Amino acid sequence: MRISNVFQLGIKELRGLFRDPVLLILIVYAFSLAIYTAAKAMPETLNNATIAIVDEDQSPVSSRIITAFYPPYFVPPRLITVNEMDSRMDEGLDTFALDVPPNFHRDLLAGQSPTIQLNIDATRMSQAFTGGGYIQNIVTNEVNEYVNRYRGDSSVPVTLNLRARFNPDLDQSWFGAISNVISSVTMLSIILTGAALIREREHGTIEHLLVMPVSPVEIMISKIWSMGLVVLIASAFALVFVVQGILHVPIQGSILLFLVGAALQLFATTSLGIFLATVAGSMPQFGMLLILVLIPMQMLSGTMTPRESMPEIIQNIMLAAPNTHFVILAQAVLFRGAGLSVVWPQLLALFVIGSLLFLFALRRFRAFLK
């Protein structure tokens, strides 16, 4: 294998990429706007939820309940009638509708247990789940404070002091931004290498390479380093300018250590992209294979949900996937500031899995060229 051949073939791949506007737009979008929108639109965060209130009691306690809902969790409540409640929810105008019944204040002072009806539009699943708990706590606190005639905390025998490390404000956008960078590294590396190989076959340039004094190893390594370099530079740009600069998400650890892990991840996923491209006969077939492979890898790697919440057999199977170890490494470095002494097992696992995928893809690539 000659380094000059690998370098020149890699430059050819970069020129082909820069002449493809669709892939260039995908790269720019994945490492800029997609990260920003993922950070600002995390579904777990309750923000400006619409709520309407039916005040049939017209009492001091019902007025306290109405004034307890305010931004940023809820929009200012809209006072409606009983007849409007169902129709507004059918039209999707309200996510929550609270009905304070008549004589609620009288029954409360009489020591009875009056009920308040809360209707929730469960089609808005994330807001419905989170907002329902918020509303229950708000109403309960307001009623208790009114009955007890003072605003204060109840006395409990044990006090729990909560310390939230690495994300003191529990800001979901921090997690969304970095998780999207991790996902984009895996997705773009597979797409770019696979598309590069299929593009050569569709344009007929693969036959030109076969008559040149280059080996399959040189062709494959050239695609790996060129496409991997593009994704590596784009991920570094996203971390520095989008995550830290625009979103103001603090990076706890070394970006250089993260990029070392990303390089090993790219070594594995670009090899996987070449293998998928040799199996697929065309770009549409490659896209279908990508869906079958990429979605399980992303869903079960720990990027979206913790691995601990998955069945043990799934956790063990996913240890064979490179992005499982990359997610562990990236979260440890970027969130918790871990160093090399902590993440070296993940680096070693990525190197071993990447080497196996490279050898497997090279064998398939040689058969593909014959």
Side-chain angles (χ1 to χ4, degrees):
M1 183 180 69
R2 290 190 296 179
I3 301 299
S4 60
N5 287 347
V6 174
F7 177 76
Q8 293 298 333
L9 289 172
I11 296 298
K12 176 188 72 67
E13 296 295 338
L14 292 176
R15 289 174 178 171
L17 175 63
F18 292 145
R19 288 194 297 265
D20 193 331
V22 175
L23 289 180
L24 289 178
I25 292 174
L26 177 61
I27 295 171
V28 173
Y29 170 77
F31 286 102
S32 58
L33 186 59
I35 295 173
Y36 182 84
T37 54
K40 293 298 184 180
M42 289 299 291
E44 293 86 356
T45 303
L46 185 68
N47 185 47
N48 288 331
T50 54
I51 182 171
I53 298 179
V54 180
D55 187 5
E56 299 184 85
D57 193 35
Q58 301 290 326
S59 63
V61 66
S62 65
S63 299
R64 287 177 61 104
I65 293 174
I66 294 172
T67 57
F69 296 97
Y70 47 81
Y73 298 117
F74 300 92
V75 299
R78 182 184 180 91
L79 296 179
I80 60 174
T81 63
V82 176
N83 297 329
E84 294 178 294
M85 185 168 57
D86 290 339
S87 61
R88 287 179 58 85
M89 187 160 288
D90 291 341
E91 296 173 9
L93 299 177
D94 300 322
T95 304
F96 305 98
L98 193 67
D99 183 6
V100 182
N103 302 322
F104 177 80
H105 180 258
R106 185 194 65 186
D107 296 340
L108 185 65
L109 296 182
Q112 301 179 13
S113 298
T115 59
I116 295 179
Q117 183 186 59
L118 175 63
N119 293 340
I120 302 177
D121 182 1
T123 59
R124 301 169 181 175
M125 182 176 174
S126 57
Q127 283 198 341
F129 179 79
T130 306
Y134 276 48
I135 293 174
Q136 182 178 2
N137 290 333
I138 291 173
V139 172
T140 301
N141 290 337
E142 292 297 328
V143 171
N144 288 338
E145 290 169 3
Y146 183 80
V147 172
N148 295 328
R149 294 294 191 272
Y150 71 92
R151 184 182 297 271
D153 298 329
S154 58
S155 177
V156 293
V158 177
T159 302
L160 177 65
N161 290 327
L162 178 64
R163 291 178 56 209
R165 299 189 62 186
F166 315 120
N167 189 355
D169 295 332
L170 301 179
D171 191 345
Q172 294 284 352
S173 65
W174 292 16
F175 179 79
I178 294 180
S179 296
N180 201 266
V181 173
I182 297 171
S183 299
S184 296
V185 169
T186 301
M187 179 185 69
L188 265 298
S189 58
I190 297 177
I191 291 176
L192 293 182
T193 49
L197 180 56
I198 293 177
R199 182 174 57 240
E200 283 192 337
R201 181 166 59 181
E202 292 179 344
H203 294 174
T205 54
I206 193 71
E207 287 79 7
H208 297 169
L209 292 176
L210 295 178
V211 299
M212 295 176 63
V214 293
S215 65
V217 178
E218 293 172 346
I219 298 174
M220 184 169 167
I221 293 179
S222 67
K223 296 183 183 298
I224 288 176
W225 82 257
S226 58
M227 298 299 104
L229 180 63
V230 171
V231 177
L232 194 65
I233 294 175
S235 61
F237 172 85
L239 280 177
V240 174
F241 293 100
V242 179
V243 176
Q244 287 185 309
I246 298 177
L247 296 173
H248 305 292
V249 178
I251 302 298
Q252 301 294 334
S254 170
I255 295 181
L256 180 61
L257 181 58
F258 167 79
L259 293 178
V260 171
L264 291 174
Q265 165 75 355
L266 291 169
F267 173 54
T269 50
T270 49
S271 300
L272 179 60
I274 291 177
F275 172 78
L276 294 178
T278 59
V279 175
S282 62
M283 192 64 77
Q285 291 182 7
F286 176 71
M288 294 300 294
L289 282 175
L290 190 64
I291 293 175
L292 294 176
V293 173
L294 187 60
I295 291 181
M297 287 179 61
Q298 299 284 48
M299 294 291 293
L300 303 177
S301 64
T303 308
M304 301 180 180
T305 56
R307 296 185 66 248
E308 293 77 12
S309 63
M310 304 175 191
E312 186 175 357
I313 185 173
I314 299 297
Q315 297 183 39
N316 295 331
I317 292 174
M318 288 305 297
L319 290 176
N323 58 327
T324 299
H325 304 280
F326 180 56
V327 168
I328 297 174
L329 178 147
Q331 291 181 348
V333 172
L334 300 180
F335 284 136
R336 298 186 289 274
L340 182 61
S341 60
V342 175
V343 300
W344 71 264
Q346 283 72 45
L347 293 173
L348 179 60
L350 285 172
F351 176 77
V352 172
I353 295 174
S355 300
L356 293 176
L357 285 174
F358 178 82
L359 294 175
F360 193 52
L362 178 60
R363 181 180 178 183
R364 176 73 189 183
F365 186 60
R366 282 171 171 164
F368 169 76
L369 295 177
K370 293 180 179 180

